[in-house]
Amino acid sequence: MERWYRFKSYPLHIHISTFALFLVLCLGGVLTLYNYYQASQLIRSAASDVFEQSRQKIELDFQRSYAPIAQTVHLLTKTPLVNATTFEQRMQQLPLLVTALEDQPELAALEVAYKDGDYFIVRVINDQHMRDVFEAPKNAAFLVDNIQYAEADRGIERIFLDADSNQIGGMQLMPTDYDPRQRGWYKQAAEADAEGRLTEPYLYFFIRKVGVTYSQASLDGNAVVAGDITLDVLSASVQEQNITPSSHLLILDKTQGVLAYNHRPNSVYSATDERVRLLHINDLQQPLLALASVQLDGAEKQFDLNYMDQTWQGSLKLLAPIPQAQFQLLLLTPEPELLAEAYNIRRYSTLIAFVLLLMFLPLTWWIARRVTLALQRLVWQSQEIQRFHLGYQIENRSRIKEIVELATAMGVMQQTLRVFIRQLEQLNKQRHQEGLMELLTKDLQQITGYEGVLLYRPKDKQHWFLAGTGFKSIPSTANLPEQIPLVLDSVIARTLESRCTQCADLLTEDPLVFGELAKQFSADLRLTAVPLVSGHVRGVLVLLEAQGESRDQQRAFVEALAGFAANCLENADHEKTVADSAPSE
């Protein structure tokens, strides 16, 4: 089995490259499959997303167009215009009306109808149709009509204004029997108790166009303010939508009357006198729309249609751009056109993933080689350490954090081995107790960098004495008791009992053991007691370190040295005993 493993072993860069390429292939394959699946899901859900985006955009266009109009009408009900009784008083509010018309191009007119039958309206002259209907001068921008119902000769006072609101020509007086109080928009607002109302589409009396009117009565009920919006604005909003070239986009009322249609930019209604009839969806003479009309039941839905051997995605959404307005948005799109972009995304994403995989192969090999070169250098250096060739410096130059940390750790290990071997040699050479005490305290403190090293040795079964000290910065240890009784609870007693390393805080130790040693240091000290065991406990090394410092490596060094130090102490004690027992000449 061992020969098989040796035969099957390969250099590290081969393993890294193979594993990395395997991961790349797996990851690329999974991502490609996932992307393919998501693209397929996109194909199935694209219709719904496009429909919802179109609905939101049209509804947002509605809100931008009509919501400000409702606010304008509401604000005008708070102005002196609703209580003006003469033409001159009403003309004083003309700058306000002109500014509102200029700021909101969707408005065709702003008007005020009074409870006594008076009527005041400002219209925008912005196309040839309006100029022809009113025979307006060429540079006319606004038209002002005023009707005084109480006058004997009921008529319209009419003036034309240019873009700077300057009057063009003289005032015209024309007879009329127009009574605004008989119009639907007035009746709706009058019955709504100062709440705004939107009419159904109807034919405007003067300009002969079909549109809707938003109206609201003043708080005192003296007048009704209204704003006219032609269906041309609604049709323009639909024309701006660009789904696909063959898509059909319609806005319908509750009776499936066509308010706007993207394939018919011109008017989609017929009107005679004061009655208007919107074209029904079946009046458009489109077989596809006739099939779709069967699905229109007033509820939001998505459906499929088969028309001329082609699948069409259909969706019906409800529009509620402002209160009192309820429309339906019908969208029909051929599936191949709708999903053409999704097909392209799926095809190109698969191709890009494959190309990236091919490009990644040499990059993976190169990175693996770069990583293994540094590792190979560390392998050679570790082999040198194994042979105890400790005289060279380990290089840690690399951009890979783990390799730098490994090289640093090997350098520390190399330095520790040097110190450890040197310390062993010195301990082995030293035969006198005094020399051993100095090696185990002062020299050990300098090597490890502890704040202090204390060596305690047994005096008898009940007492231990302080055999040696080594401090970093404390010049005197006169306050340390030279002998301590083991009956006292201390870290030394616990170490003797457990025969393993124990830790404690100096501040919690009995002063009879360590005296006033804590007062000689600016910081709290932590004690680590390491037993020197060789058959019996030959001594205890007490290591002093500042709180918060981490000296795990130094403690491991001391613990590794403890066994050999105990043997040296045992030999020194034995030689001293032999020497003491020898007869003197």
Side-chain angles (χ1 to χ4, degrees), residues 203-228:
L203 182 68
Y204 292 142
F205 182 85
F206 290 99
I207 66 175
R208 316 309 294 172
K209 277 191 174 184
V210 172
V212 295
T213 297
Y214 184 86
S215 57
Q216 181 178 348
S218 60
L219 290 176
D220 58 7
N222 184 58
V224 171
V225 180
D228 293 337

Side-chain angles (χ1 to χ4, degrees), residues 234-523:
L234 191 63
S235 179
S237 178
V238 171
Q239 297 297 326
E240 292 175 358
Q241 303 301 314
N242 185 18
I243 312 298
T244 66
S246 302
S247 294
H248 295 265
L249 184 63
L250 301 91
I251 296 181
L252 310 172
D253 64 7
K254 293 179 290 188
T255 63
Q256 298 185 16
V258 180
L259 300 176
Y261 181 27
N262 66 333
H263 285 292
R264 189 164 180 172
N266 297 327
S267 300
V268 294
Y269 50 81
S270 63
T272 57
D273 296 332
E274 298 183 13
R275 301 182 63 83
V276 60
R277 186 184 74 83
L278 294 175
L279 285 176
H280 192 271
I281 187 173
N282 292 326
D283 295 335
L284 297 175
Q285 304 298 319
Q286 286 277 1
L288 175 64
L289 298 181
L291 287 174
S293 65
V294 180
Q295 303 285 340
L296 306 181
D297 55 5
E300 291 191 350
K301 62 171 60 177
Q302 295 183 10
F303 54 90
D304 296 336
L305 294 176
N306 291 319
Y307 175 65
M308 297 183 65
D309 297 328
Q310 196 174 47
T311 300
W312 288 69
Q313 296 284 342
S315 179
L316 184 67
K317 298 286 186 179
L318 299 181
L319 292 175
I322 57 176
Q324 303 92 38
Q326 290 290 337
F327 303 132
Q328 301 177 80
L329 174 66
L330 175 63
L331 179 62
L332 300 171
T333 304
E335 193 173 77
E337 289 185 5
L338 178 67
L339 307 178
E341 190 65 25
Y343 284 124
N344 290 333
I345 292 174
R346 185 175 65 182
R347 181 169 60 253
Y348 287 120
S349 63
T350 303
L351 179 61
I352 291 172
F354 180 73
V355 172
L356 289 177
L357 284 176
L358 293 180
M359 294 174 60
F360 199 76
L361 293 178
L363 179 63
T364 303
W365 179 267
W366 181 80
I367 293 175
R369 289 290 297 168
R370 294 285 295 177
V371 172
T372 55
L373 285 176
L375 288 176
Q376 288 173 358
R377 185 169 61 250
L378 289 179
V379 168
W380 176 81
Q381 293 171 345
S382 66
Q383 292 172 347
E384 291 297 302
I385 294 175
Q386 184 179 2
R387 300 185 188 100
F388 288 93
H389 295 167
L390 307 177
Y392 63 90
Q393 183 176 0
I394 295 179
E395 297 182 2
N396 60 356
R397 293 176 298 175
S398 177
R399 293 184 179 274
I400 302 175
K401 180 181 178 182
E402 287 76 8
I403 293 179
V404 173
E405 292 177 349
L406 178 59
T408 303
M410 289 177 59
V412 173
M413 180 178 64
Q414 184 187 56
Q415 179 64 23
T416 302
L417 284 174
R418 290 194 194 120
V419 175
F420 188 77
I421 292 173
R422 185 169 62 251
Q423 191 72 5
L424 289 179
E425 291 175 348
Q426 292 179 356
L427 288 174
N428 187 50
K429 293 177 181 179
Q430 185 58 252
R431 299 299 181 183
H432 300 288
Q433 284 189 345
E434 292 77 7
L436 282 175
M437 305 309 164
E438 186 173 354
L439 285 173
L440 291 175
T441 54
K442 295 180 180 179
D443 288 0
L444 188 60
Q445 184 277 322
Q446 293 177 359
I447 292 172
T448 59
Y450 278 104
E451 295 293 329
V453 177
L454 310 178
L455 175 61
Y456 287 89
R457 301 208 61 204
K459 182 177 181 61
D460 53 44
K461 292 184 178 181
Q462 300 298 327
H463 297 84
W464 279 50
F465 70 96
L466 181 62
T469 62
F471 287 98
K472 183 177 182 180
S473 58
I474 302 299
S476 173
T477 58
N479 293 325
L480 275 171
E482 294 187 0
Q483 181 174 300
I484 60 171
L486 295 181
V487 294
L488 297 175
D489 181 27
S490 67
V491 66
I492 298 175
R494 293 192 296 272
T495 303
L496 290 174
E497 182 180 357
S498 64
R499 297 171 68 96
C500 62
T501 301
Q502 298 289 323
C503 297
D505 292 333
L506 179 58
L507 293 176
T508 62
E509 289 295 304
D510 194 323
L512 295 177
V513 178
F514 293 103
E516 298 182 356
L517 182 63
K519 296 181 180 180
Q520 302 185 53
F521 290 90
S522 59

